[in-house]
Amino acid sequence: MDVTRTIVSIMGLEDKETKDNSPKANMRKIMRIFAKTPVALAAFYRSRKGKKIIPPKKNLSFSENFFHMCFGKVPNKDIVKAFDVSLILYAEHSFNVSTFTARTITSSLSDVHGAITGAIASLKGPLHGGANEEVMHMMNKIKKPENALKWINKTLDNKDVVMGFGHRVYKSGDSRVPTMREYFGKVAKIKKDKKFEKIYDIVEKVMIERKNIHPNVDYPTGPTYHLMGFDTDFFTPIFVLSRITGWSAHIMEQYAANKLIRPLSKYSGAKHRRVIRLNQR
Ligand code: COA
């Protein structure tokens, strides 16, 4: 995510239209960010493994190209479809933390690259987009389905937070989960690896029974991306590739009817404190 954030920030340095905030220039810049970010990310994916960078191909779709640039091959169409579905589910989600960040940055009439860079920093946090990576760390810690029941009960007894569960808005289930769960199952079947699905079901059952807390979309996407072959620290950057579209729509909307976002805070500290003069201390 640090690389992803830096990629967009550097694009802002290089883009000749950075300072032009007209709707047309903004749309051109957004299209460039949307097109270049996956190419730069895939280049990083390969170069850190000492592998040759693979350029995109014109005849491939967005998702096919990302697989091609990361792995040098495009997987079967059902895997590509599952990746597509995850990107569609991730694309836009109203006033979440990162979108609010992008809106707030835009509201000072700053530039598009800055707003998306800030949004990426916000998405990185484990309580937001970073949760899809945390889910995988959790599943790796559990290791096998036989350990799952004991692990989740102990975690809840300790009052620890279970990543990939809960949502500020959805209190009785995230509407994106059933679709992503279905595609997670399809990918697990193709890869002939049911281990994560079994862990998934056990942890989910206990979370609902004991806490009435349902999974959010990061719960099924984490193990799905793992089964597709991506390194865990690429899960949230993949989220970025998709959410650039949602952030951009909000940024355009904010520019079109801007009002500076400036909340007030409610003071809850000490009522009155006497200041002692320096020579009396
Ligand atoms: N695991 C364990 N307990 C959880 C939980 C989780 N994932 N999410 C919420 N809870 C518990 C809280 O501890 C709290 O318990 P309490 O009343 O005994 O103190 C209760 O449920 C209410 O939670 P609250 O903190 O008010 O929910 P919130 O709306 O502030 O939090 C999240 C929403 C997303 C920040 C929170 O659910 C969370 O941290 N989830 C894990 C991270 C994650 O998956 N983020 C991706 C979101 S799409």
Side-chain angles (χ1 to χ4, degrees):
M1 283 300 274
D2 298 335
V3 171
T4 318
R5 192 189 58 229
T6 306
I7 286 168
V8 177
S9 188
I10 288 177
M11 274 188 230
L13 268 182
E14 290 182 335
D15 200 303
K16 292 195 170 47
E17 293 190 293
T18 298
K19 287 186 181 151
D20 184 350
N21 279 338
S22 64
K24 283 192 171 155
N26 276 344
M27 186 53 93
R28 285 192 294 272
K29 286 183 280 180
I30 283 164
M31 292 306 277
R32 285 194 283 271
I33 295 170
F34 184 53
K36 286 181 177 180
T37 307
V39 180
L41 256 180
F44 170 63
Y45 193 86
R46 293 193 58 91
S47 62
R48 74 170 177 185
K49 293 175 192 288
K51 291 185 174 162
K52 224 175 127 222
I53 292 169
I54 303 174
K57 275 188 186 169
K58 280 214 159 112
N59 61 334
L60 297 179
S61 70
F62 186 91
S63 294
E64 286 172 339
N65 249 320
F66 195 62
F67 282 108
H68 161 71
M69 290 186 292
C70 287
F71 303 118
K73 55 179 186 252
V74 177
N76 89 37
K77 66 175 186 8
D78 293 325
I79 303 268
V80 175
K81 172 77 181 168
F83 192 71
D84 263 340
V85 166
S86 78
L87 297 186
I88 292 165
L89 293 174
Y90 268 148
E92 154 61 12
H93 209 218
S94 75
F95 269 67
N96 53 83
V97 191
S98 56
T99 302
F100 186 66
T101 304
R103 283 258 188 183
T104 306
I105 293 172
T106 306
S107 83
S108 76
L109 299 183
S110 185
D111 55 77
V112 166
H113 288 85
I116 294 183
T117 303
I120 294 171
S122 169
L123 189 79
K124 177 185 172 184
L127 296 188
H128 190 13
N132 60 6
E133 295 180 15
E134 295 299 329
V135 167
M136 204 58 229
H137 295 312
M138 172 184 94
M139 293 211 171
N140 285 332
K141 230 184 269 172
I142 295 173
K143 275 197 183 89
K144 44 187 182 177
E146 297 82 336
N147 299 339
L149 195 59
K150 195 171 164 207
W151 186 91
I152 182 64
N153 277 316
K154 193 167 165 232
T155 303
L156 291 181
D157 290 346
N158 291 342
K159 302 211 175 305
D160 290 337
V161 172
V162 183
M163 291 300 170
F165 283 85
H167 200 276
R168 177 57 58 80
V169 179
Y170 300 122
K171 294 301 180 192
S172 53
D174 179 336
S175 55
R176 300 165 295 180
V177 168
T179 309
M180 200 57 228
R181 173 68 184 88
E182 185 190 331
Y183 281 89
F184 166 40
K186 288 183 183 185
V187 173
K189 198 170 172 199
I190 295 166
K191 295 285 176 184
K192 296 187 177 61
D193 187 342
K194 295 270 181 184
K195 180 177 91 174
F196 296 111
E197 252 195 313
K198 285 182 187 155
I199 295 175
Y200 181 108
D201 289 340
I202 296 166
V203 172
E204 180 189 41
K205 190 166 178 280
V206 176
M207 280 301 284
I208 294 172
E209 275 173 12
R210 277 191 63 176
K211 302 280 292 184
N212 196 25
I213 297 177
H214 295 258
N216 57 58
V217 73
D218 293 317
Y219 191 51
T221 52
T224 307
Y225 291 155
H226 174 81
L227 290 169
M228 287 172 175
F230 290 107
D231 295 345
T232 305
D233 65 352
F234 257 66
F235 297 1
T236 320
I238 291 170
F239 189 160
V240 171
L241 299 184
S242 159
R243 186 57 64 86
I244 285 171
T245 58
W247 290 330
S248 300
H250 280 271
I251 290 166
M252 296 290 280
E253 212 176 71
Q254 187 70 34
Y255 277 125
N258 189 53
K259 194 98 178 153
L260 181 75
I261 296 173
R262 205 294 191 189
L264 287 173
S265 59
K266 195 174 166 196
Y267 179 71
S268 61
K271 277 221 167 64
H272 184 77
R273 280 182 295 178
R274 206 166 64 82
V275 178
I276 305 165
R277 287 175 186 279
L278 270 181
N279 62 1
Q280 291 169 0
R281 287 182 199 170

